[in-house]
Amino acid sequence: AQKITQTQPGMFVQEKEAVTLDCTYDTSDQSYGLFWYKQPSSGEMIFLIYQGSYDEQNATEGRYSLNFQKARKSANLVISASQLGDSAMYFCAMRRPSGGYNKLIFGAGTRLAVHP
Amino acid sequence: DTGVSQDPRHKITKRGQNVTFRCDPISEHNRLYWYRQTLGQGPEFLTYFQNEAQLEKSRLLSDRFSAERPKGSFSTLEIQRTEQGDSAMYLCASSSSDPASGNTIYFGEGSWLTVV
């Protein structure tokens, strides 16, 4: 069965430092996609970054990068130069190939607190 | 692109009452999803529409839940005879089936339901 595991319920980081949020996944599918979303207290799920299982290079989007290690089935999110506005819940999700559409399975999330 | 909008943002209802949530997806998106998120958990898939057709329903969607997307644009999620266990945030998301648009799924800000 497909599953996403985020082992860090909470993380703290000093402003301007880098932080890594862990995500491991379990799937027997060969083709899949991995997402990271940010959820501030307002509730909206904000898309951050996407990595396809066949992508050879790690995805990057501005200050966000995804450390994809396929053999280890991990897809850690790295946030560089943390800002106070980065404080939020972060969810890792996996896209199941199901009838060709994007059905997402989410992890339990990691709450990130950025300190000044 | 006005994003995915949901209404109402917050709803408090008495047990046994019916509630309805509305979702307006991004205008050019033909795929629409509903997810449910309880406190401290990641979102869980409820149902999926491609245009006006409801193609998949999760087992989480009991007989008291019904979702529609009558003209392939906005969608409604109705919960009949609400129970306290229905208290959660209901998230709507949309995406495009056009491969050129990428793999991004965009979420709305969610509708918080409290059943008292």
Side-chain angles (χ1 to χ4, degrees):
Chain A
Q2 283 81 358
K3 186 180 179 181
I4 293 283
T5 302
Q6 295 180 253
T7 57
Q8 307 154 313
M11 288 285 286
F12 296 90
V13 67
Q14 204 76 22
E15 193 179 8
K16 299 181 185 177
E17 292 185 348
V19 63
T20 298
L21 307 183
D22 294 341
C23 171
T24 58
Y25 60 93
D26 187 17
T27 182
S28 56
D29 296 321
Q30 296 301 308
S31 174
Y32 52 89
L34 297 157
F35 297 76
W36 276 92
Y37 284 86
K38 172 184 178 181
Q39 188 177 44
S41 56
S42 62
E44 182 183 5
M45 298 285 284
I46 302 169
F47 167 76
L48 295 178
I49 198 166
Y50 169 81
Q51 179 87 40
S53 58
Y54 292 120
D55 295 340
E56 294 185 353
Q57 291 194 334
N58 287 343
T60 60
E61 290 284 351
R63 295 186 298 111
Y64 305 107
S65 60
L66 199 152
N67 184 0
F68 182 47
Q69 298 189 39
K70 195 169 182 177
R72 294 185 176 183
K73 293 189 174 179
S74 75
N76 298 339
L77 177 71
V78 180
I79 305 174
S80 63
S82 298
Q83 302 172 355
L84 296 178
D86 293 335
S87 295
M89 283 291 290
Y90 288 80
F91 290 96
C92 180
M94 178 169 61
R95 170 178 59 87
R96 290 190 57 192
S98 174
Y101 69 92
N102 290 327
K103 179 177 179 177
L104 296 180
I105 298 170
F106 285 85
T110 295
R111 182 171 297 280
L112 177 66
V114 180
H115 292 175
Chain B
D1 180 354
T2 58
V4 180
S5 62
Q6 294 187 240
D7 183 71
R9 293 292 320 283
H10 301 272
K11 178 74 176 178
I12 300 174
T13 190
K14 291 184 178 179
R15 189 163 49 112
Q17 297 294 305
N18 299 344
V19 296
T20 300
F21 300 111
R22 176 182 170 123
C23 171
D24 286 273
I26 293 172
S27 57
E28 62 267 27
H29 286 179
N30 59 338
R31 294 175 171 173
L32 186 146
Y33 318 80
W34 285 97
Y35 285 78
R36 181 171 69 185
Q37 185 179 18
T38 53
L39 213 59
Q41 300 296 320
E44 295 174 291
F45 172 82
L46 291 180
T47 189
Y48 159 68
F49 290 85
Q50 176 141 336
N51 300 311
E52 66 275 9
Q54 188 175 20
L55 298 185
E56 186 170 347
K57 291 171 59 173
S58 163
R59 283 173 290 181
L60 293 174
L61 222 58
S62 75
D63 291 344
R64 297 183 296 104
F65 288 71
S66 63
E68 294 182 344
R69 194 182 183 197
K71 297 182 180 179
S73 57
F74 74 92
S75 175
T76 58
L77 176 68
E78 182 184 16
I79 309 173
Q80 296 181 325
R81 304 180 304 281
T82 52
E83 302 172 355
Q84 288 187 322
D86 297 331
S87 296
M89 181 163 68
Y90 292 85
L91 285 159
C92 179
S94 70
S95 68
S96 171
S97 59
D98 179 1
S101 71
N103 295 282
T104 307
I105 300 176
Y106 295 91
F107 282 81
E109 292 184 312
S111 293
W112 291 91
L113 173 65
T114 302
V115 182
V116 297

